[in-house]
Each structure stands twice: as structure tokens, then as C-alpha cells.
Amino acid sequence: MSRIVVEGRRRLEGSISVQTAKNGVLPVLAATILNSGVTVIEKCPKLTDVDVAISVLEGLGCRVHWEGDSLIVDTSTATGTAISCELMHKMRSSVIFLGSLLARMGRADICLPGGCELGARPIDIHVSALEKMGAKFTSEDEIISCVVTRRTACELVLPKPSVGATENIMLFAVSCKGTTRIINAAKEPEIADLQDYLNALGFRVKGAGSPVIEIQGKGELPATYVRHRPIPDRIAAATWLCAGAITGGTVELRSARPEHMKAILDALKESGSSIYVQGDRITLIGPPRPKAIRRLTTAPFPGFPTDAQPLFFALAAVADGRTFIEETMFENRFSFGPDLARMGAGVFIRGKFAAIDGTTKLTGQPVVAKDLRGGAALVLAGLAAEGQTIVDQAELIDRGYEHIVNTLSLLGASVWRD
Ligand code: UD1
């Protein structure tokens, strides 16, 4: 168990570079299986979720090593088809290895990802799309086995624009001769990043970022050397901006992609921050006290991201007025609410709705991170609180933030590991 201690009430000020996107690098790591060669992932973030993905790749027979901040993945030696239950439980998104294993090996044996800290998180959309393309699923106890009986390029209409299902379909479709069209595909920037990597491998994929993605499958997989640098992390970027806003500070982000963050930047402006964008730099000047945002509703991209919702919940905890939040993606995404209430905010939660009455008097408390972004929200609240906030189970925060303590210290926060 690891703990992060925050001594609050310091105005943050400084300039930092944004880490590479966790949700960008994980599907690319899964996609490396499609290549019987070597992929160099530049500026690969050192996250515990990346460590889990490396263990998955090694378990499948790949050779993986770091050279500075590049991750070198040699997938020429891959022969395995199984991902252990232990690894699947550590990271539910290991399910995105399904598509590339089916494409390369014709088979995948994974453990039912089941529920996670955010809620049920079913994979029915993944399964029904892959079945339509020719995969056959059987399950026994916790294990799902999936075998390719045919490889049929086809048109798939998703009932919801699921990020993971869109990725799994793209990964399998490259091995199906002909054109696969995904209608109502996820439009997140990480999907476009995956498209870029697949095209660098020699596949022909277009449309990512729009609701229709077209994959021209070749029926054969490459053996090549490719370098890829995934996009910056828009949720980590949102975290540092919220840290500036919650402390009335000034934060400059370098190497950001403001075009991926419109809904986040609009929400920060609504809460009284001034935002200046110049190329890949974003500067935030926080107000003396944030204003309540009238209503925040999470939605698929380009809507307000569910992963940033906890961060803005923390901002609402100090804002002037009442903020309403509707969480439409995951049913258990207010786990930090009771901790924020103990710190002094007015928090009312009913199902997928929350109302937050901000206070100028948050006080530090021992709190417990229940999930990655909820944990980050508690750290943010600690930055604004009087006294010490001790965030337990901080290892959950390390799933998605590279050196969170160092980054906040660079901005002048008083924060350390216990
Ligand atoms: C990805 C992100 C996660 C983010 C989420 C939504 C990664 C590694 N994770 O997760 O950080 O919060 O997108 O932006 O990229 N659903 C179904 N059936 C399915 C699949 C999904 O009902 O088969 C539902 C989910 O329960 C959820 C919604 O669809 O309500 C969106 O989920 P999805 O986009 O699939 O999220 P993930 O890919 O799991």
C-alpha cells in the first residue's frame, strides 16, 4: 500500500510537459502483436498499467525492454494465446488484446474481465462484433476461449460508440480480407492514434475521429520495424489544469493537444479560469475562487470525458455555488464523494446524479483512493484543503500518472509519498 500526503493551500505555478496518453499507448501495445517484427514506442509512459501490458506481451512470448523512455517491443517470437486471470484482473483493458490475438494466432484465451471498480463494464459489443466477423466464443468457469472459424470483412453497427470494442474490431479487421466498416464507432483521439499506428504497419485504415471507420484488410500481417509516438494524455493534462484552477494558480502545459480538450477547456473557462492556447501550449490562470459549473454531463468524445469527471467534482468542492454532474458512462464513478464530504464539501449523490455545494473550508483528512481518477480527485482536493490530506491506496493513481508527486512538486505543491 502506498500513500500520498498533500499539504494544501499552496498556489501552484509553473510549466510542465504532458505525459503520453495511457489510453493511447495501451491499444498500441496490444496492436504490436499484429507485427512479427519490432515496434519502438517513443516517450512511452512509465505507468503500472503499462507494466501489466508488458507482462501480457511477455506471457505471449514477446521480448520487451526499455531504452531510456522508449519501449522496444519485439513481437517476432510471439506464440502464446492466453492471458492469465491474474493479469486480466489487474487491468480490465487487457481485453483489447483479444482482437490482435485473433488476428495473429487465430485464437485467444482470456479471463472474463468481469466488473471493476467503475461498475459492470460488459464486453457484449466486442463479442457480438467479433462473432459476426467469424470468431466463435466458448466459456468455462472464468475462462473465455475464442477461435477464428472464418475471417469475414463486414459492416458493423455498434449500439454504443464503445472505445474498447472499436479498437478490438479494428485489430481483428486488418486480418480479414476486404472492407470492414464500423458504424457508430468511438471518435476518441486515441482511436485516431491507433489508426496511425496500424497505417504505419502498412494497413489501410481511415475515418478514425468520425463515426465511420473503414478498414481494408489484407489477409496477411506484416513483419516490419516501426517507430510510433502516441498522443499526449488529455486526462493527465486536465488534471494539471484543474490543479492550477483549484489553487488559484498559473499552470502552463507543454506538448499538449488542445484540440483534444475542447470540452475540458470550456468547462474550465465556465468555472472562471482564463485559458490561453498557443500551438501545443496551454496556459491556465485560475480565479481566486472557482465558480460552480451549472451542469456537467459526461458523454463520448467530443463530449465531456467521464475520466475527467472526478477532477471537476473536486473543483466543484471548492467552487462558489452548486454544481450538478450527470455521469452517463459508468455506474460507480462517484466513489470519492463521501471522502470529499468528510473534507467539508456538500455532496449529494443519487444514482448517476451528483450535486456539489462548494466550500472555502476544505480540511485535510485521511482518505482512500478507490480507483485511478477518483484517487487523483482526492489529491486535487488535498491541494486546496487546510492541513494534511493523506491519500491511501495511491498505487491506483500510479496506474495512469507518471510521477504524480514529482509533477505536482515541480508546480510548487507540498506533496510526498509516505
Ligand atoms: C475506455 C477507456 C476509459 C474510458 C472509457 C470511456 C481505455 C483503456 N479505457 O474504456 O478510460 O473511461 O473508454 O471513454 O481506453 N459498454 C457496453 N458493452 C460493451 C462495451 C462497453 O455496454 O461491450 C458500455 C460501458 O459499460 C460504458 C460505455 O459502453 O457504459 C463506454 O465504454 P467503453 O467506451 O467501451 O469504455 P472502455 O473501452 O472500457
Side-chain angles (χ1 to χ4, degrees):
M1 293 279 184
S2 123
R3 296 199 293 185
I4 291 178
V5 185
V6 189
E7 183 90 47
R9 294 274 159 111
R10 290 194 180 211
R11 188 178 168 272
L12 298 198
E13 187 159 354
S15 172
I16 48 174
S17 181
V18 179
Q19 70 180 57
T20 298
K22 169 179 91 69
N23 289 352
V25 83
L26 293 177
V28 167
L29 283 170
T32 60
I33 298 280
L34 299 169
N35 178 24
S36 298
V38 174
T39 297
V40 178
I41 299 180
E42 295 174 351
K43 284 218 167 267
C44 185
K46 293 200 162 106
L47 307 170
T48 52
D49 269 12
V50 167
D51 292 337
V52 175
I54 293 172
S55 300
V56 170
L57 286 165
E58 287 173 341
L60 296 169
C62 307
R63 289 183 293 222
V64 187
H65 70 277
W66 290 94
E67 277 178 18
D69 60 7
S70 290
L71 189 70
I72 322 295
V73 187
D74 178 352
T75 35
S76 62
T77 49
T79 50
T81 62
I83 303 176
S84 72
C85 290
E86 192 197 338
L87 290 174
M88 285 293 304
H89 289 155
K90 275 192 184 157
M91 187 177 72
R92 187 206 173 271
S93 54
S94 306
V95 77
I96 41 175
F97 278 84
L98 193 54
S100 51
L101 278 174
L102 292 178
R104 169 118 176 237
M105 308 294 175
R107 176 181 184 106
D109 303 282
I110 64 167
C111 197
L112 240 185
C116 74
E117 62 276 9
L118 302 185
R121 299 187 86 170
I123 56 163
D124 53 308
I125 303 173
H126 306 232
V127 170
S128 71
L130 294 170
E131 274 179 341
K132 196 162 173 207
M133 298 165 83
K136 191 167 179 293
F137 285 82
T138 49
S139 64
E140 204 179 321
D141 300 325
E142 266 194 302
I143 310 291
I144 306 183
S145 295
C146 182
V147 179
V148 175
T149 56
R150 57 186 162 78
R151 294 174 189 266
T152 309
C154 58
E155 186 162 296
L156 298 156
V157 182
L158 305 191
K160 278 185 197 172
S162 157
V163 173
T166 301
E167 290 165 349
N168 257 332
I169 297 166
M170 290 165 80
L171 296 174
F172 183 46
V174 294
S175 76
C176 304
K177 230 179 197 161
T179 306
T180 295
R181 205 167 282 118
I182 313 174
I183 318 274
N184 195 28
K187 301 195 287 282
E188 270 66 4
E190 292 76 17
I191 302 282
D193 192 47
L194 178 61
Q195 170 177 284
D196 288 346
Y197 174 68
L198 293 175
N199 287 336
L201 284 181
F203 296 114
R204 283 165 59 203
V205 185
K206 62 178 188 190
S210 83
V212 181
I213 298 178
E214 234 176 65
I215 304 113
Q216 303 279 343
K218 290 206 289 192
E220 61 195 53
L221 300 183
T224 185
Y225 174 92
V226 59
R227 299 181 79 87
H228 181 73
R229 179 161 172 185
I231 54 173
D233 196 311
R234 59 201 165 97
I235 307 302
T239 309
W240 314 136
L241 293 178
C242 282
I246 210 166
T247 61
T250 300
V251 169
E252 182 197 58
L253 301 181
R254 307 186 306 275
S255 311
R257 290 283 290 270
E259 70 274 25
H260 294 166
M261 299 180 62
K262 187 170 180 318
I264 289 166
L265 298 182
D266 285 349
L268 285 165
K269 284 181 202 162
E270 194 184 332
S271 80
S273 287
S274 303
I275 304 278
Y276 303 93
V277 171
Q278 200 174 34
D280 68 354
R281 287 179 188 232
I282 304 173
T283 306
L284 171 140
I285 301 176
R289 184 178 181 198
K291 288 187 287 189
I293 298 170
R294 262 176 307 138
R295 192 181 184 92
L296 263 184
T297 304
T298 62
F301 191 84
F304 187 83
T306 173
D307 290 349
Q309 176 270 107
L311 315 173
F312 280 75
F313 198 121
L315 192 60
V318 302
D320 188 7
R322 175 171 283 193
T323 300
F324 285 102
I325 296 183
E326 183 183 359
E327 172 53 66
T328 65
M329 291 285 169
F330 297 111
E331 59 270 33
N332 189 18
R333 216 158 189 183
F334 295 135
S335 60
F336 46 85
D339 274 336
L340 284 179
R342 279 197 307 109
M343 291 174 78
V347 174
F348 311 92
I349 294 172
R350 181 157 296 181
K352 61 179 188 166
F353 297 101
I356 305 108
D357 288 332
T359 174
T360 50
K361 291 195 178 72
L362 280 188
T363 47
Q365 299 279 340
V367 292
V368 182
K370 314 272 187 340
D371 60 69
L372 159 59
R373 305 298 169 188
L378 293 170
V379 171
L380 288 180
L383 293 172
E386 185 77 49
Q388 275 190 4
T389 299
I390 302 165
V391 185
D392 211 343
Q393 291 190 176
E395 64 276 9
L396 288 171
I397 300 174
D398 300 326
R399 292 184 55 185
Y401 292 93
E402 203 176 24
H403 317 307
I404 186 168
V405 164
N406 293 357
T407 307
L408 287 172
S409 301
L410 270 176
L411 294 174
S414 176
V415 52
W416 63 94
R417 285 208 186 249
D418 185 23

